[in-house]
Amino acid sequence: MAQNRSIARILGIVQQRAEQISLPRVSNRLGLAALGVASLGVGAALTRLRPTDRIGRSERFQALIEDALEQSAQPWVCTSCQVQVNEGFGKPTMVSFSINMEAKQPIDDDRVEFARKLLEAAVRSVWKNPEIAPIGIQGRMSVNGEDTVNMQDLGYSALQVRPEELFERLGAPAIDRGWTPA
């Protein structure tokens, strides 16, 4: 019976008319000014936290990789380089790339070793990018259309390499020299 009275009391409160509900009023000028400044500050902070240069990021990373390959791959030619920069809230940015090189001679052990060096140069250029850090990297290189090397062939633990493992091997990223894995 007591429970029914409590429910009735709650329902009576909920069923009050809008004229009976009073909203708190801020009549202190200092309080109003503080609320105004706080709202401006929050708006400015949210604007600054939003990345403005996301558009074209994959193309900029593609240019970084192609420049690194151009400097390192004298007898070979890069026929295609596909890059995708994946960003997610609460996760490090993942840069995935696939490179296809063309070599005039068939692939042998020396060619595979040269492909490893080229992939390492591409990974280093992506990690040392001037735009965003920390990032994860997933990369692979094929020569004459044959899958040749991937991240595990370079000695990494997985195909998708986490920022911590990249830091151990390559040091701090170029954009944030003070970054260390937590």
Side-chain angles (χ1 to χ4, degrees):
M1 198 66 135
Q3 292 175 346
N4 290 340
R5 286 185 208 147
S6 298
I7 292 173
R9 194 173 357 161
I10 291 172
L11 289 175
I13 292 172
V14 172
Q15 293 175 355
Q16 289 179 351
R17 293 193 290 169
E19 300 92 36
Q20 296 174 343
I21 298 173
S22 64
L23 295 174
R25 294 183 184 203
V26 179
S27 58
N28 185 347
R29 290 182 186 204
L30 187 59
L32 287 172
L35 286 174
V37 169
S39 67
L40 287 175
V42 168
L46 290 176
T47 302
R48 297 287 255 157
L49 288 174
R50 184 179 4 183
T52 57
D53 54 354
R54 283 186 178 176
I55 298 172
R57 188 171 276 167
S58 295
E59 290 79 14
R60 290 189 297 275
F61 274 88
Q62 180 177 349
L64 277 174
I65 293 171
E66 289 173 347
D67 289 345
L69 293 175
E70 190 175 302
Q71 294 173 5
S72 304
Q74 294 304 327
W76 292 5
V77 177
C78 178
T79 56
S80 71
C81 178
Q82 297 151 352
V83 180
Q84 185 175 5
V85 180
N86 300 317
E87 300 179 72
F89 185 74
K91 297 186 282 185
T93 300
M94 177 63 72
V95 178
S96 301
F97 63 88
S98 176
I99 303 167
N100 190 19
M101 302 294 286
E102 184 178 309
K104 302 290 186 217
Q105 300 171 358
I107 299 173
D108 57 3
D109 289 340
D110 292 337
R111 300 275 182 245
V112 172
E113 186 59 36
F114 188 62
R116 282 188 186 120
K117 289 180 182 177
L118 289 178
L119 184 60
E120 184 67 38
V123 168
R124 184 174 304 278
S125 70
V126 169
W127 178 251
K128 299 288 184 176
N129 78 81
E131 192 169 332
I132 188 170
I135 60 172
I137 299 175
Q138 176 182 3
R140 70 175 191 85
M141 179 179 289
S142 58
V143 181
N144 295 339
E146 298 176 24
D147 284 339
T148 307
V149 293
N150 59 31
M151 300 300 282
Q152 288 181 323
D153 295 326
L154 297 179
Y156 292 104
S157 62
L159 294 176
Q160 295 182 347
V161 183
R162 309 256 325 140
E164 296 82 12
E165 192 173 355
L166 290 161
F167 177 81
E168 288 176 17
R169 185 176 290 189
L170 303 173
I175 189 145
D176 188 4
R177 295 281 181 199
W179 182 83
T180 58

